[in-house]
Amino acid sequence: LMLATCFCIFFEYLPIAESGDAARVLETFSGVLSRPDDFLEDLMKLRAQGVPKDKIFRLQPLIHEVDINGTDSRGVLDSLSAFARAALESAQIYSEIRDAAEAGQLDRQQAANLLDSLESDQRRMVSAMDTGQQVVDGPASP
């Protein structure tokens, strides 16, 4: 339930007000999982740089409650849990970069190079693996 809630909040599959309704969350996430290609595309498009602070704060306690190790023979839930944790950690880091730039503790151009990429980190990594090119810091070229 916690993992389903995390993904429903991350991708706004449900309005925040409905994320406390367990039956609604499970029904919604089950529907999402029934369209694996669309769900995979959502995972690939998630830009951790764009996750707002209020969403980060909402997800933090949920992620810490997600404990599904060994409950899933194929490892799918373990992989989804790892993705959710990594995405939240990345969002937190990007939020800290944004705060540091706003406070003048980090060069704004340097922060912009990290924050303003149009592509998600995971899409850049997959593209780099497909082409054999090295991933460079800064915004990816379209």
Side-chain angles (χ1 to χ4, degrees):
L1 175 62
M2 292 300 169
L3 186 60
T5 303
C6 287
F7 281 105
C8 284
I9 291 171
F10 252 131
F11 297 107
E12 299 176 359
Y13 294 137
L14 275 177
I16 292 288
E18 294 180 35
S19 65
D21 180 348
R24 184 85 171 104
V25 167
L26 292 175
E27 174 188 335
T28 299
F29 196 58
S30 177
V32 168
L33 293 178
S34 71
R35 298 180 316 278
D37 290 342
D38 293 340
F39 182 53
L40 180 60
E41 185 59 26
D42 286 346
L43 295 175
M44 292 296 293
K45 288 190 310 190
L46 178 66
R47 289 183 62 253
Q49 311 85 311
V51 176
K53 270 188 183 181
D54 62 322
K55 194 177 283 189
I56 292 170
F57 291 134
R58 181 122 171 110
L59 287 165
Q60 283 173 327
L62 294 173
I63 286 287
H64 293 295
E65 290 187 39
V66 173
D67 182 23
I68 47 86
N69 288 329
T71 61
D72 164 29
S73 62
R74 292 179 292 167
V76 174
L77 294 178
D78 289 334
S79 296
L80 288 175
S81 176
F83 180 92
R85 287 178 196 274
L88 181 59
E89 288 174 13
S90 295
Q92 289 169 316
I93 291 167
Y94 282 122
S95 180
E96 290 170 10
I97 291 169
R98 187 173 290 105
D99 290 347
E102 288 172 4
Q105 299 168 335
L106 181 66
D107 178 69
R108 288 187 186 272
Q109 181 60 44
Q110 195 175 23
N113 285 341
L114 297 168
L115 297 170
D116 294 342
S117 175
L118 299 176
E119 253 184 337
S120 68
D121 294 334
Q122 54 278 20
R123 177 134 4 240
R124 288 177 56 207
M125 292 303 294
V126 168
S127 295
M129 288 187 295
D130 284 346
T131 62
Q133 295 178 355
Q134 183 178 1
V135 176
V136 232
D137 288 338
S141 56

